Amino acid sequence: MYINVWYVAGFSKDLTNEPIKVTMLGADLVLFREMDGTPRCISNVCPHRGSSLADGILYKDGTLSCPFHGYRFNGHGKCTLVPSRRDHEVQVVAPGMRTDAYATIEKYGLIWVCLGDDPDAASPIFDMPEWDDDQWCYTTNEEIWEADYHTCKFTNLDYVHLPVVHGIMFQGNENPVQAPEHKITATEHGYQSVMRVNSSPSAGVWKEMREEGAKVESIMKYFVPGFTLRGQVEIGGIGSGEFNIFYEFTTPIDESRTMMRHIFLRNYRMEEDFNTEHTRRNLQNIHQDKVLAESQRPLVAPTGPNPNGIYTHDEDGIMLTYWGLMENLRNKGWQIDRSKLQAPDKAVRIIPSPSRKEHKDGWVYKTMPLIAPEDITAPSVKDLKFVDIDSIEPTRPKDYGKSEPVIPRDAKSNATLEWEDAALALVEKAPGFVQPMIIKNAEKAAKADGSNFVSVKLMEELQEKHGGGAAASSDGSEPKPKMAKRKLSKHEKEGLGMENGKELDGKVVIVTGGTMGIGFGMATRLAKYGAKVVITSRNNDTGEAALGRLREAAGCVADDVAYFKMDIISETDNEDLVNFTVEKFGRLDSIINNAVFPGDFQLLADESLESFQQVINTNVTGTYLGMKFAIKQFLAQGAETGDNYSIINISSGATRDTGMRMAPYIASKLAVEGLTQAAALEYSRQGIRINTLLFGMFETEKALEMMKAMPMIEEKGAAKHHVGRFGDPEHDAGEAATYLISERSSFITGTTVHVDGGMCL
């Protein structure tokens, strides 16, 4: 990191009438405005006790007070008042009380701060002719990269990475990855590189910008102020006068984090509606660079080029020019000696300020150590060599090494079918990480239709199916959510109410873990209301016995209920369960994912990994698998808006009234509630409702045995259940489940219904 450089500390629009804390070069600083709007930057660390000045009060006289004792400092770092002795001069009360202040100016919508003691010697801020020109419009962006600022720059300081990382091929070259001829011109304040190339425009609206085969001119400029990269492309082709320009301002936060700010400018497609697409297209490349930067090692880049490094003609020429500029700063004694820096939690990091030249003594905190020119041992950039490859005759054919990648990096290259251009353009508008999934789903749908062609029409149909049931608006311009009337049940169509006790007549329901306890109670009540019910367990003997008890308790005929032995965490068993149910009863209307494993009731540190995983697998994975295959079956049955398919998941009052030794169980049940909400949103417009029943303590066989063995559990539970009793598995849980499956609840989805006797109040 280097001092005596103008850095971008923020966007002007973000600095209002409140101070802002910023970290640059590892030092804590504070930005604020005086009453006339003049921006100031001083050290954020109060020299009295080290408090954060950014947390203090900004006064109308342009001073900022410390939040601890109220010491006030102006924008020049001078302490103007000690409130406890306001009738005395500050230097009488606290001799030498002052803090570091830095040259600050506002230009091009940015707050620039020269971090160092000699702003006059720093490279001057460059001109930005497009600013305040009505012929240009712009958007901005800022984000933190978890990488050293050198590494952040290296990801875009060459041309070869364009085809490799961004897929921008150099058309017209025999080798489209080889950078065309370009010339680098350097000064002490930066450099410039100019390249003319025939590159294909991006798909979508960008394809309209220029004719196929038109050459474009790309100009890359780097400025030391702001560590700024300026990229310019004549987007419409040479001579079109239509330019896409970006400025990338790089501010080191510390040794391993960097603030990246961008201004994207254009003088074409000036309408405001194009801002989003313009920003998206620029950020697409930038975020690809970000992934690259954050994955490189070491996390903190070296302070100069590696003398043992391998440097090549095409990839490293511009980077070495960059290192030459950094070498100039180092030779002036402006490089911070990172090897001598103390961790910020052990020492206050202070950048030397101009005031320290005038007042050499009396400062509370020392400044960061610098590397003296006479102590420099690193080699000079000019001594580093790379092969002059242009002077050597090639020994391999031009197409050597061309092969298809096993896993294509370009999302569109995942396409295996023929695609309509406009359909691929729709894919490109999606975030890069979801593009392969969109392509996979689209091609799967095309093949299901017996086609090898993916059209825009197919993409729109998929969007309607998976994206919320979109339908054309009245004027055909924008999609709007699909709406429908509620469909009447078979019972309602026949004019039957609830008085005959067969409200669920015709419904087919699965209850996992339905052979005992709450699950058995729900299955019994559902069967009494006329539903066809399938119960499951892992033990065939107990399952068959439970089936007999269920027939007797529900008073139903033998063929109206069935049992299926399964392992709840087996994907195959869950799929087979649904298939068994459909083969037995002809359809599926609802599933209650009730199977549960509570865990070993240990303190978290004593819980075995095996037990923890069993809790998660049973309660979360089991629920997910049940939902997955039920939803697939509902969709196969033609589920659509207005239908009334129902999924019920199970949570626990322990998630609200947390108890000891239940961490894995509570975590699993909260996860179930999250699954419920997410899935409810995804499938609500397909007529599939998904809700959670949250249960308190119920008088199940196991619960009654536990209360008998440990009366204190019953006593504690009684105090929490404010209705004065525990839950009845059939009456309370069964009625709640009936409601959520019935037509009465057809307007309810994504919610958690408490059946807890007031336990969670």
Side-chain angles (χ1 to χ4, degrees):
M1 298 184 290
Y2 306 89
I3 68 168
N4 291 328
V5 173
W6 287 96
Y7 292 99
V8 172
F11 287 113
S12 297
K13 61 183 175 61
D14 296 328
L15 184 58
T16 56
N17 57 356
E18 291 286 336
I20 298 176
K21 177 184 175 181
V22 296
T23 302
M24 296 189 287
L25 309 189
D28 288 335
L29 307 165
V30 57
L31 301 175
F32 61 95
R33 291 187 186 275
E34 296 181 342
M35 285 303 295
D36 62 0
T38 302
R40 298 292 184 188
C41 178
I42 63 176
S43 170
N44 187 52
V45 183
C46 178
H48 180 222
R49 292 281 190 88
S51 294
S52 169
L53 296 178
D55 296 329
I57 297 172
L58 183 61
Y59 287 88
K60 291 184 177 181
D61 63 359
T63 60
L64 186 60
S65 72
C66 169
F68 197 169
H69 297 107
Y71 287 30
R72 283 158 64 170
F73 299 87
N74 64 19
H76 303 287
K78 180 181 178 181
C79 183
T80 63
L81 181 69
V82 176
S84 62
R85 293 294 186 201
R86 61 176 61 250
D87 54 343
H88 286 284
E89 293 290 335
V90 170
Q91 295 306 317
V92 174
V93 181
M97 181 62 66
R98 57 182 174 270
T99 193
D100 290 272
Y102 306 94
T104 307
I105 62 174
E106 190 167 12
K107 203 171 187 180
Y108 311 135
L110 302 165
I111 306 297
W112 296 81
V113 178
C114 186
L115 296 178
D117 55 7
D118 197 352
D120 293 334
S123 292
I125 298 173
F126 51 86
D127 290 329
M128 191 170 165
E130 305 85 10
W131 194 256
D132 281 338
D133 186 336
D134 292 340
Q135 300 301 311
W136 296 85
C137 60
Y138 71 93
T139 60
T140 62
N141 182 70
E142 72 173 7
E143 57 193 31
I144 294 174
W145 289 19
E146 298 294 332
D148 173 273
Y149 66 102
H150 288 314
T151 305
C152 294
K153 299 312 306 179
F154 294 161
T155 55
N156 53 23
L157 289 185
D158 71 81
Y159 292 119
V160 174
H161 94 287
L162 295 177
V164 176
V165 178
H166 307 307
I168 303 173
M169 310 302 288
F170 300 122
Q171 306 295 336
N173 280 13
E174 288 184 293
N175 179 356
V177 179
Q178 181 179 334
E181 183 178 346
H182 55 277
K183 184 179 181 181
I184 305 171
T185 306
T187 70
E188 64 175 315
H189 305 306
Y191 62 79
Q192 172 178 294
S193 176
V194 180
M195 175 184 69
R196 291 193 169 195
V197 65
N198 178 354
S199 63
S200 295
S202 300
V205 296
W206 300 94
K207 212 162 190 177
E208 305 168 6
M209 298 297 177
R210 64 176 179 270
E211 295 181 3
E212 191 73 32
K215 276 189 174 294
V216 298
E217 183 177 69
S218 171
I219 301 177
M220 180 196 297
K221 293 184 177 181
Y222 179 82
F223 306 97
V224 171
F227 284 2
T228 304
L229 183 68
R230 179 188 186 273
Q232 172 183 306
V233 175
E234 197 166 3
I235 197 77
I238 295 174
S240 67
E242 296 180 339
F243 293 94
N244 188 69
I245 295 176
F246 73 84
Y247 287 84
E248 181 178 82
F249 309 96
T250 305
T251 304
I253 297 174
D254 52 31
E255 297 93 317
S256 60
R257 295 180 302 149
T258 305
M259 176 63 77
M260 304 291 280
R261 295 184 176 90
H262 296 90
I263 296 178
F264 307 121
L265 297 121
R266 67 181 189 276
N267 64 352
Y268 57 90
R269 294 292 298 267
M270 299 286 284
E271 62 271 22
E272 188 175 346
D273 289 348
F274 194 65
N275 285 348
T276 300
E277 172 60 20
H278 183 230
T279 303
R280 181 203 68 79
R281 187 61 188 86
N282 279 279
L283 286 179
Q284 178 177 308
N285 286 358
I286 288 167
H287 287 162
Q288 288 168 346
D289 288 335
K290 180 175 186 282
V291 171
L292 199 62
E294 293 182 339
S295 68
Q296 290 189 35
R297 294 296 182 269
L299 287 173
V300 178
T303 56
N306 185 347
N308 300 313
I310 299 172
Y311 302 103
T312 60
H313 182 278
D314 295 300
E315 289 84 356
D316 304 311
I318 297 177
M319 184 192 72
L320 291 178
T321 304
Y322 168 88
W323 274 129
L325 294 172
M326 300 303 105
E327 183 179 325
N328 292 340
L329 299 178
R330 184 178 66 213
N331 291 341
K332 293 177 181 179
W334 293 350
Q335 182 172 340
I336 295 171
D337 190 345
R338 203 166 62 199
S339 67
K340 297 179 181 178
L341 274 180
Q342 288 186 277
D345 60 338
K346 294 182 179 179
V348 176
R349 293 183 172 184
I350 299 292
I351 300 165
S353 64
S355 293
R356 294 202 178 228
K357 284 189 172 182
E358 181 181 352
H359 307 285
K360 296 187 181 298
D361 300 318
W363 296 89
V364 175
Y365 303 114
K366 293 182 178 180
T367 60
M368 296 184 188
L370 304 174
I371 300 176
E374 59 271 19
D375 295 334
I376 296 173
T377 58
S380 174
V381 171
K382 69 179 186 305
D383 296 327
L384 300 174
K385 305 295 183 183
F386 56 79
V387 175
D388 182 10
I389 194 66
D390 289 336
S391 65
I392 301 174
E393 279 295 319
T395 58
R396 288 175 169 175
K398 294 289 186 182
D399 61 350
Y400 181 84
K402 290 182 69 175
S403 176
E404 292 297 320
V406 176
I407 303 177
R409 289 194 60 186
D410 179 4
K412 293 195 293 291
S413 67
N414 282 284
T416 59
L417 303 182
E418 185 180 353
W419 280 67
E420 187 177 353
D421 287 345
L424 270 181
L426 291 175
V427 176
E428 189 179 31
K429 291 182 179 181
F433 68 93
V434 300
Q435 289 181 13
M437 179 193 68
I438 295 173
I439 288 174
K440 179 181 177 182
N441 290 339
E443 294 194 344
K444 180 179 179 182
K447 290 176 180 177
D449 290 342
S451 172
N452 288 319
F453 182 73
V454 180
S455 64
V456 170
K457 183 175 182 293
L458 176 63
M459 294 288 287
E460 290 174 345
E461 290 173 352
L462 289 174
Q463 173 65 26
E464 178 177 353
K465 181 179 179 181
H466 298 296
S473 62
S474 57
D475 62 1
S477 59
E478 295 290 338
K480 64 181 180 181
K482 182 180 177 182
M483 303 297 285
K485 296 293 185 181
R486 180 179 70 84
K487 294 183 179 180
L488 299 179
S489 67
K490 174 177 175 289
H491 216 52
E492 291 173 300
K493 288 177 181 178
E494 294 175 356
L496 300 176
M498 295 186 296
E499 61 274 6
N500 66 350
K502 294 297 180 182
E503 184 180 3
L504 301 183
D505 188 32
K507 298 278 189 183
V508 179
V509 184
I510 294 171
V511 183
T512 66
T515 61
M516 61 189 304
I518 295 176
F520 184 84
M522 290 189 290
T524 302
R525 185 56 60 102
L526 297 175
K528 285 183 177 180
Y529 277 120
K532 305 288 194 297
V533 180
V534 177
I535 57 175
T536 78
S537 74
R538 289 192 300 174
N539 188 305
N540 202 59
D541 292 337
T542 59
E544 291 297 341
L547 184 61
R549 289 189 290 112
L550 176 59
R551 288 169 179 156
E552 183 178 350
C556 59
V557 298
D559 286 343
D560 285 347
V561 293
Y563 167 75
F564 186 82
K565 178 181 179 295
M566 69 175 301
D567 181 355
I568 199 66
I569 65 174
S570 165
E571 187 168 19
T572 299
D573 283 4
N574 275 275
E575 186 174 17
D576 289 346
L577 167 65
V578 172
N579 292 336
F580 167 84
T581 302
V582 175
E583 288 174 9
K584 175 75 175 175
F585 297 118
R587 61 181 290 109
L588 178 65
D589 295 281
S590 178
I591 185 170
I592 303 177
N593 293 301
N594 174 71
V596 64
F597 179 69
D600 290 341
F601 298 103
Q602 300 290 324
L603 294 175
L604 182 63
D606 298 326
E607 185 84 27
S608 70
L609 178 60
E610 180 182 3
S611 175
F612 183 91
Q613 290 176 330
Q614 187 177 357
V615 172
I616 298 300
N617 286 340
T618 303
N619 301 350
V620 182
T621 306
T623 297
Y624 151 73
L625 291 172
M627 294 169 66
K628 174 181 178 178
F629 291 106
I631 290 170
K632 284 179 175 288
Q633 180 59 34
F634 297 156
L635 295 175
Q637 292 171 189
E640 62 180 6
T641 307
D643 281 337
N644 191 38
Y645 295 97
S646 176
I647 294 177
I648 300 174
N649 298 324
I650 306 300
S651 186
S652 167
T655 60
R656 310 301 195 273
D657 185 29
T658 306
M660 297 284 285
R661 301 174 183 270
M662 300 180 72
Y665 178 76
I666 291 170
S668 72
K669 289 304 180 180
L670 287 170
V672 166
E673 292 184 38
L675 274 174
T676 298
Q677 289 188 318
L681 177 63
E682 291 178 357
Y683 292 100
S684 57
R685 290 191 186 275
Q686 278 73 50
I688 302 171
R689 298 182 300 104
I690 307 175
N691 294 288
T692 300
L693 285 176
L694 181 149
F695 292 138
M697 289 178 63
F698 275 66
E699 291 181 337
T700 63
E701 302 94 324
K702 287 187 177 180
L704 291 172
E705 289 175 5
M706 188 178 295
M707 290 183 211
K708 184 176 180 180
M710 293 180 283
M712 73 286 296
I713 293 179
E714 182 177 11
E715 294 170 5
K716 289 182 178 179
K720 294 178 179 179
H721 289 67
H722 300 297
V723 299
R725 67 176 178 86
F726 297 122
D728 179 275
E730 182 185 339
H731 180 272
D732 297 314
E735 284 292 337
T738 299
Y739 174 71
L740 288 180
I741 294 171
S742 74
E743 302 301 320
R744 287 179 288 155
S745 65
S746 61
F747 201 55
I748 297 175
T749 192
T751 193
T752 298
V753 178
H754 287 228
V755 187
D756 63 356
M759 174 184 178
C760 298
L761 294 177

